[in-house]
Amino acid sequence: MSSHAAAAVAPANRIKGTYAHLDCLLAGIERLRAAGIQGFQVVSPLPRHEIEEALYGGAPSPVRWWTLTGAITGFTFGFLLPSLTHSQWPMINPGGKPVVSLPTFAIIMFECTILFGCLATLAGFIVHAGLPSFMLDKSLQDPRYSDDQFGIVFLNANVTQTDAITSILATSGAVEITTGDDTVYEVPNA
Amino acid sequence: MLGNRPATYAETNRDILRVLFKPSPLFILAWLVSVGCLVFGAYHWYRQIFWGLGTDGMNQASFWGTFIVTFVFWVGIGHAGTLISAILFLVRSKWRTGVYRASEAMTVFAVMTALLFPMLHLGRVWQVYWFFPYPNQRQLWVNFKSPLMWDVFAISTYFTVSAVFFFIGLIPDLAIVRDHNTGLIAKVYNVLALGWRGTNRQWRHFMAAYGFFAAFATPLVLSVHSVVSWDFAMATTAGWHSTLFPPYFVAGAIFSGCAMVITLLMPMSYFFGWKKYVNMWHYDALAKMCLLTSAILTYSYATEYFIGWYSQNPYEWEIFQWRATGELAWAFWLMIFCNCIAPLPLYFKKLRHNHIFLFIVTILINVGMWFERFNIVVSSTAHSFDPSMWRAYNPSFNEYAILIGSAGWFFFLFLSFSKTFPSVAMMEIKEMVAPPVRGGHHE
């Protein structure tokens, strides 16, 4: 991209509210949603069910579909692998027992269900959580958010809503409101 | 009993991160001892590879010696970690938070140690890939009807699931280590944490996935030692061929694992100054778990004898009599003392809360559990159906050296982990701390 083209692109309208208290953060989220403002992310040092409830209203994560698909695939694989390989040697039939023997293959089916289900859950988690996330915006890379602070971050807020957003963040109890991405963050206890 | 909880999120981070990357002289000494044991064991494995399995005490009758005994021992040790991290997570038990990370690390490292033993027992370790089903020129496949093949699937699945569960739980804490350091350490931990930032999107899928991992690990932990027990119980060998084996093995595994968690965490909490996070609340719960599983084991031992007598099967009754009176009787009575009698004083709260007494009992339990497997594995093959095949089995020096080496490998991994990764889960401890609120109390 040439410098001329870069200059033509409007800079992202970043707004970041940092909270020291969970109830203030929740009030901020509630007021933003009540005002119909969207496009923000919440960063927190731990998963709190109140935050998830406020943002997603109890909708389950799609990771469960990955889990189910993986488990069904594993179960099928766990049956097919021993059945097909044993069927290649039907002449080896000790004691008149069946070549495809469900009680003995059930163990393999069980283990493969768990293994494939687990690996698919891992894949689903990585895809939906957007990992690895080395390229996340700098405003989200605030070491205070893994310590004891919470954040509401707009990476590119609607310019017409800027005043409304900063007002909501301030009145809900944000201890710091910053715009732009030039903040230098201190590393706690470093 | 909840102990002295941290007051704030930041205090939790500070307390746990304080011990990282700064080994004390005592820690370095312990670490060097573990490395020394590891090198000692590795050299004897090299000797075994060079000279062959003749360096070990196994013979025509006792074809499964201490390698299989120790394999079962280490797999069993792992079980308590999964129990604490998965089952207690699903039932929302609060005491797990302080101890689960270290227990989970113990699980992964114990299974890594156990995995060495089938390779050691194999002798020709370079052919280890024969364990796995893979397409080959003659279209020969492994026998899926063999309990040994079930074990390959069970242990490899157990290791994979435990390692994934362990690593996923570690990600948010790795991000905390990154955020509290600068330079190269911050860069390395950023890569390990996969750039984790704790956004609402990340937490949402993290919690969903974590729940599923716990749900998978729960039946797995009960199944793995059942499958290990079938290595024995599926054979028509006297003393092994019993439907009692799976529950008996699972209880034994949890027994030894909980004892090992206490053995590892008690010095760790003491030396790292983590009384706030790992304390008598946890030891008490683990000791009660040991008591329960000890009672199950005692009942199982008694049932084995009762069935041996009541079945009127002469081979079965002979082997059980021989275990208690034959040349390996010392191992049998040591097992009875360590597993059935030594834990009994823990019924008294005063003794359960005595650190030194509890620590000694947990070590005795682990000695007892190794000898339990020794009794099962060695006695049944050394004294089988045909008296002309009765052979004495004496482990060679090489086997003892490799046993010591395996302990060195386990402690090397655990000690290295404890100084480079947070051994108490900061993220989960924070869930126990009242969140900071401006408008009054919040739980």
Side-chain angles (χ1 to χ4, degrees):
Chain A
M1 191 184 281
S2 70
S3 59
H4 178 75
V9 177
N13 184 24
R14 290 186 179 81
I15 308 172
K16 179 161 118 169
T18 299
Y19 291 80
H21 301 102
L22 180 65
D23 54 344
C24 298
L25 173 88
L26 292 170
I29 297 172
E30 203 173 302
R31 286 183 210 170
L32 285 169
R33 288 176 70 92
I37 298 171
Q38 291 175 335
F40 60 90
Q41 299 187 46
V42 177
V43 195
S44 59
L46 78 167
R48 287 297 307 193
H49 60 91
E50 301 97 328
I51 300 175
E52 194 175 332
E53 197 68 30
L55 291 172
Y56 299 105
S61 155
V63 168
R64 64 204 174 116
W65 296 112
W66 291 72
T67 310
L68 181 68
T69 311
I72 292 173
T73 310
F75 185 82
T76 313
F77 177 80
F79 172 71
L80 290 179
L81 175 71
S83 303
L84 296 179
T85 52
H86 276 249
S87 299
Q88 286 197 338
W89 295 84
M91 65 296 270
I92 299 177
N93 188 3
K97 295 190 180 81
V99 173
V100 174
S101 157
L102 272 183
T104 54
F105 295 170
I107 318 285
I108 309 289
M109 288 154 74
F110 172 82
E111 299 297 344
C112 289
T113 306
I114 303 266
L115 181 65
F116 283 53
C118 174
L119 293 176
T121 306
L122 174 67
F125 164 61
I126 284 177
V127 168
H128 288 287
L131 296 174
S133 56
F134 301 122
M135 306 305 280
L136 274 186
D137 191 85
K138 192 165 173 281
S139 50
L140 293 163
Q141 301 186 14
D142 187 335
R144 291 175 300 174
Y145 295 158
S146 72
D147 206 40
D148 59 352
Q149 311 264 304
F150 304 84
I152 294 181
V153 180
F154 287 82
L155 292 183
N156 197 5
N158 188 334
V159 181
T160 57
Q161 293 179 327
T162 305
D163 290 343
I165 292 168
T166 43
S167 160
I168 288 173
L169 295 180
T171 53
S172 60
V175 291
E176 181 192 283
I177 298 168
T178 53
T179 52
D181 63 348
D182 51 354
T183 320
V184 176
Y185 303 112
E186 279 184 32
V187 176
N189 307 324
Chain B
M1 278 303 268
L2 294 182
N4 188 12
R5 286 199 214 171
T8 62
Y9 293 165
E11 185 187 342
T12 310
N13 285 358
R14 202 172 54 235
D15 286 345
I16 306 302
L17 296 177
R18 181 174 43 80
V19 302
L20 295 187
F21 313 119
K22 293 173 196 137
S24 66
L26 192 66
F27 179 90
I28 294 171
L29 181 70
W31 190 83
L32 287 175
V33 169
S34 72
V35 173
C37 291
L38 170 59
V39 172
F40 179 65
Y43 169 70
H44 285 85
W45 189 0
Y46 161 76
R47 272 191 80 228
Q48 182 189 299
I49 291 170
F50 191 84
W51 293 105
L53 279 173
T55 50
D56 307 311
M58 286 161 299
N59 54 45
Q60 276 291 329
S62 298
F63 45 86
W64 281 5
T66 54
F67 291 155
I68 299 300
V69 172
T70 316
F71 163 73
V72 181
F73 173 79
W74 284 114
V75 174
I77 291 291
H79 277 54
T82 319
L83 174 97
I84 291 167
S85 58
I87 299 181
L88 297 185
F89 174 79
L90 292 182
V91 300
R92 299 286 184 266
S93 171
K94 283 189 172 157
W95 66 269
R96 77 179 271 284
T97 49
V99 294
Y100 99 89
R101 170 69 49 72
S103 317
E104 223 169 57
M106 179 193 80
T107 295
V108 175
F109 301 148
V111 178
M112 283 169 74
T113 313
L115 284 171
L116 296 175
F117 282 89
M119 295 195 269
L120 279 152
H121 183 74
L122 190 65
R124 297 175 187 178
V125 67
W126 49 93
Q127 286 173 342
V128 72
Y129 65 96
W130 285 11
F131 282 153
F132 298 100
Y134 66 97
N136 57 49
Q137 284 168 324
R138 291 193 297 154
Q139 294 194 325
L140 280 174
W141 293 94
V142 293
N143 179 9
F144 287 100
K145 291 172 187 168
S146 161
L148 301 183
M149 191 40 58
W150 304 345
D151 211 15
V152 170
F153 274 72
I155 301 290
S156 50
T157 301
Y158 185 49
F159 176 68
T160 312
V161 173
S162 300
V164 168
F165 194 36
F166 175 56
F167 177 69
I168 295 298
L170 204 53
I171 288 178
D173 280 6
L174 293 172
I176 298 174
V177 179
R178 171 202 61 206
D179 288 344
H180 287 71
N181 285 282
T182 48
L184 184 64
I185 293 180
K187 279 186 186 144
V188 170
Y189 280 82
N190 190 35
V191 172
L192 290 174
L194 304 176
W196 178 269
R197 289 292 164 184
T199 62
N200 53 295
R201 176 186 171 192
Q202 292 177 337
W203 280 126
R204 182 186 185 214
H205 302 300
F206 174 88
M207 288 311 287
Y210 201 77
F212 285 122
F213 289 134
F216 277 131
T218 298
L220 190 62
V221 70
L222 300 177
S223 76
V224 170
H225 232 55
S226 302
V227 173
V228 170
S229 82
W230 288 327
D231 286 348
F232 307 98
M234 287 287 161
T236 51
T237 305
W240 287 1
H241 194 53
S242 163
T243 50
L244 179 68
F245 263 41
Y248 157 37
F249 266 54
V250 172
I254 292 169
F255 180 55
S256 64
C258 287
M260 186 61 108
V261 173
I262 299 178
T263 312
L264 292 174
L265 286 183
M266 215 179 247
M268 184 192 231
S269 171
Y270 178 79
F271 286 112
F272 288 179
W274 279 351
K275 212 176 164 191
K276 212 184 289 176
Y277 303 95
V278 184
N279 49 44
M280 196 37 88
W281 183 33
H282 308 98
Y283 306 147
D284 188 75
L286 286 162
K288 283 178 184 164
M289 195 87 87
C290 287
L291 267 179
L292 171 72
T293 43
S294 163
I296 296 174
L297 279 191
T298 308
Y299 175 77
S300 302
Y301 297 156
T303 306
E304 276 192 317
Y305 271 82
F306 174 73
I307 295 295
W309 166 76
Y310 186 70
S311 66
Q312 301 193 22
N313 179 328
Y315 304 105
E316 195 80 3
W317 186 226
E318 163 64 23
I319 191 71
F320 283 110
Q321 281 180 307
W322 187 75
R323 276 185 192 172
T325 56
E327 64 205 62
L328 296 174
W330 61 273
F332 174 83
W333 293 107
L334 185 62
M335 167 191 94
I336 294 289
F337 171 75
C338 292
N339 295 350
C340 308
I341 297 167
L344 288 179
L346 297 180
Y347 274 107
F348 299 100
K349 194 174 175 183
K350 209 172 174 180
L351 289 169
R352 209 163 57 231
H353 285 210
N354 182 324
H355 281 80
I356 295 171
F357 183 80
L358 182 59
F359 188 71
I360 293 170
V361 169
T362 58
I363 290 174
L364 285 177
I365 289 173
N366 273 312
V367 171
M369 283 310 294
W370 190 87
F371 277 101
E372 180 202 285
R373 279 67 174 252
F374 182 83
N375 264 301
I376 295 170
V377 175
V378 170
S379 68
S380 280
T381 48
H383 201 79
S384 196
F385 299 100
D386 183 356
S388 71
M389 282 303 287
W390 290 354
R391 299 276 188 282
Y393 168 72
N394 292 309
S396 69
F397 180 78
N398 208 60
E399 285 173 270
Y400 286 122
I402 287 173
L403 175 62
I404 291 168
S406 78
W409 166 241
F410 174 78
F411 282 101
F412 161 74
L413 290 171
F414 192 82
L415 288 171
S416 305
F417 171 80
S418 72
K419 274 290 164 190
T420 44
F421 293 91
S423 305
V424 168
M426 291 178 274
M427 185 268 283
E428 294 223 11
I429 290 285
K430 284 176 186 168
E431 290 181 1
M432 308 259 297
V433 176
V437 287
R438 199 164 65 175
H441 183 70
H442 190 289
E443 264 300 345

